[in-house]
Amino acid sequence: MYENLSFKITHTDSSSWARCGLLKTPHGTLETPNFIFCATKGAMKSLTTQQVKEAGADIILCNTYHLFLQPGGGFVQKHGGLHKMLNWNGPMLTDSGGFQIFSFGHGGISAELKGTSNQARPKTLLKIDETGATFRSYVDGQVRVLTPEASIKTQCQLGADIILALDECAPIRADKSYNERSMNLSHRWELRCLGEFKKYDTSMQALYGVIQGGVYEDLRKLSAEFVRSNDFFGQAIGGSLGKSKAHMHEIIRLTCQHIDKQRPTHLLGIGGMSDIINGIAGGIDTFDCVHPMRLARHGGALLEPQHCDGKEFINIKNSKFSGDLSPIQENCSCYCCKNFTKAYIHYLFKAKELLGGQLLAIHNTAFMSNFLKEIRAAIKAGAFGSIMKRWNIVAP
């Protein structure tokens, strides 16, 4: 398996577990660490793939759950796969649908943390059992079942370079016994995924196993050992990582102690800059999150904390920017910053013009891409410690 894919560690950091690597895929070689931008339903929010590429993105992600429901894997396959359908010629990842099962069943991570999960939108998850996840489609109301085999078949039809095994994402409020049962169920699902995957052309796609176990170190260790002992190309860290940033960072570091460090490691659904630096210090190679694009749609422009009162973005809708004739970022060469002022983008949001969100999406894509590029350069130069110090990150 995996004849057309490989992962090679090229540089390591002496002050942490950070490393640079080359992840070779059938659609190009990805330098790591790197950030994966989300084209969730087969489209980037407000941008074309050409604009995303010009802004510096190297890899994108699409979601199996949504594409399984609409338009279906067969529809995408008739287009020659996601790469051709989206006009994207770079590396691509599809996630399995496991998180969406969780989200539509429990209201999402943010709702749980705020204690509002029972008041969220109507739940569509009907049951999770050995077979898979039974749910009511948000598209047409029909009852559908996503099994490990269906997830893998769909992902093979979609044709992404990196695909993920189906797992259950246990809710934050679940106790240890539930997490253990859920983890073991995920392991059985993942073995079925591996078996189904071997029925297809395994030379053109890389299958990652998913590490679960909630906030419990012994369960995380068991799950990491399970993934390490099976024929997965890489590993992804998923599931609940705690109720605070500090707890999340601790769980990630503990988990990274037990992974196969020669395999590429992905952290699912994390996109804050300080969280990315912490993850890289622990040995994470890739990250994905809707954060940059979602932030842009709501008027958020990514910047380092010293430029935005300790936060990681400014809200361009704030009235203080109504007369600001400077760009979002002085030294940024993206299309947004080279051509438009904060005042103009502020006006666009006030006038409810879609262009405002589009321009911020371009900037946020460029900013995140350059942020990861700076980190890679620092690791190669032996200077990653200075970045950790600047962001108050403690080495593992």
Side-chain angles (χ1 to χ4, degrees):
M1 296 195 298
Y2 313 130
E3 288 88 344
N4 292 292
L5 300 108
S6 63
F7 178 66
K8 177 184 178 182
I9 300 169
T10 59
H11 299 81
T12 57
D13 177 54
S14 60
S15 62
S16 69
W17 298 335
R19 73 262 190 99
C20 287
L22 294 174
L23 178 54
K24 178 187 174 185
T25 80
H27 292 90
T29 298
L30 181 72
E31 287 193 78
T32 64
N34 219 316
F35 184 82
I36 304 177
F37 294 89
C38 296
T40 304
K41 296 182 180 181
M44 302 300 300
K45 296 290 187 184
S46 78
L47 300 181
T48 67
T49 50
Q50 181 64 31
Q51 288 174 308
V52 173
K53 191 71 173 179
E54 289 172 354
D58 296 315
I59 179 171
I60 62 174
L61 170 154
C62 293
N63 178 261
T64 299
Y65 178 92
H66 293 291
L67 296 175
F68 170 73
L69 293 180
Q70 183 179 253
F75 178 91
V76 177
Q77 191 173 39
K78 289 176 182 177
H79 282 79
L82 283 173
H83 287 89
K84 289 187 177 179
M85 192 170 81
L86 275 64
N87 190 32
W88 176 261
N89 196 33
M92 184 186 296
L93 179 148
T94 48
D95 60 3
S96 67
F99 177 76
Q100 280 65 39
I101 292 169
F102 160 85
S103 180
F104 283 95
H106 301 283
I109 294 289
S110 61
E112 278 212 294
L113 289 177
K114 295 173 184 176
T116 60
S117 57
N118 292 328
Q119 305 167 28
R121 62 192 169 211
K123 308 298 189 297
T124 59
L125 178 65
L126 301 178
K127 68 175 179 177
I128 293 177
D129 58 17
E130 201 69 39
T131 300
T134 303
F135 58 93
R136 193 173 298 280
S137 168
Y138 70 87
V139 175
D140 56 16
Q142 293 187 17
V143 174
R144 303 290 298 273
V145 181
L146 184 63
T147 64
E149 292 78 12
S151 176
I152 292 298
K153 178 182 177 180
T154 301
Q155 291 186 82
C156 288
Q157 290 174 321
L158 299 177
D161 304 278
I162 300 167
I163 69 175
L164 267 61
L166 183 66
D167 61 318
E168 182 196 1
C169 182
I172 291 173
R173 62 180 180 274
D175 61 15
K176 185 174 184 179
S177 62
Y178 184 99
N179 270 278
E180 186 170 14
R181 292 194 303 273
S182 174
M183 177 193 73
N184 289 326
L185 175 64
S186 289
H187 290 173
R188 294 191 294 274
W189 282 2
E190 290 179 62
L191 288 176
R192 287 165 57 190
C193 285
L194 194 55
E196 182 70 13
F197 177 68
K198 290 178 180 179
K199 297 177 183 179
Y200 298 91
D201 183 359
T202 59
S203 69
M204 301 300 288
Q205 292 181 297
L207 178 62
Y208 282 35
V210 182
I211 299 168
Q212 285 288 351
V215 299
Y216 304 99
E217 181 181 2
D218 56 338
L219 298 184
R220 287 285 177 179
K221 178 181 178 182
L222 285 172
S223 194
E225 290 173 346
F226 163 81
V227 172
R228 192 172 67 233
S229 65
N230 283 285
D231 199 13
F232 297 107
F233 180 85
Q235 56 232 340
I237 298 174
S240 170
L241 295 168
K243 294 185 177 182
S244 68
K245 280 183 176 288
H247 199 189
M248 176 179 73
H249 296 169
E250 178 187 358
I251 296 300
I252 292 169
R253 298 287 183 87
L254 291 173
T255 304
C256 285
Q257 291 181 29
H258 305 292
I259 62 175
D260 181 346
K261 292 181 172 55
Q262 297 306 307
R263 296 181 185 181
T265 305
H266 181 74
L267 181 58
L268 287 159
I270 300 300
M273 289 183 284
S274 61
D275 299 328
I276 287 173
I277 294 172
N278 181 81
I280 290 171
I284 303 295
D285 301 299
T286 51
F287 305 79
D288 77 87
C289 193
V290 299
H291 178 63
M293 297 303 186
R294 177 177 290 167
L295 195 64
R297 294 196 301 276
H298 295 282
L302 289 171
L303 289 171
E304 289 205 13
Q306 63 267 31
H307 302 299
C308 38
D309 301 323
K311 298 180 181 180
E312 295 185 359
F313 64 92
I314 58 170
N315 185 351
I316 201 66
K317 295 189 288 185
N318 193 305
S319 60
K320 71 179 182 179
F321 297 116
S322 62
D324 191 333
L325 300 182
S326 66
I328 296 293
Q329 185 181 358
E330 292 288 352
N331 60 344
C332 181
S333 61
C334 78
Y335 175 76
C336 173
C337 291
K338 285 198 302 183
N339 294 284
F340 304 102
T341 67
K342 293 189 187 83
Y344 175 62
I345 301 170
H346 170 87
Y347 152 73
L348 290 173
F349 274 92
K350 190 174 181 179
K352 301 187 185 304
E353 290 288 348
L354 297 178
L355 180 60
Q358 184 181 42
L359 291 175
L360 290 190
I362 290 172
H363 167 75
N364 286 356
T365 301
F367 183 94
M368 188 64 81
S369 300
N370 289 330
F371 176 64
L372 271 295
K373 191 179 296 183
E374 178 190 1
I375 290 173
R376 292 194 297 271
I379 295 172
K380 293 174 184 178
F384 183 64
S386 63
I387 291 183
M388 286 194 293
K389 184 177 181 180
R390 194 171 89 212
W391 286 79
N392 295 316
I393 303 294
V394 179

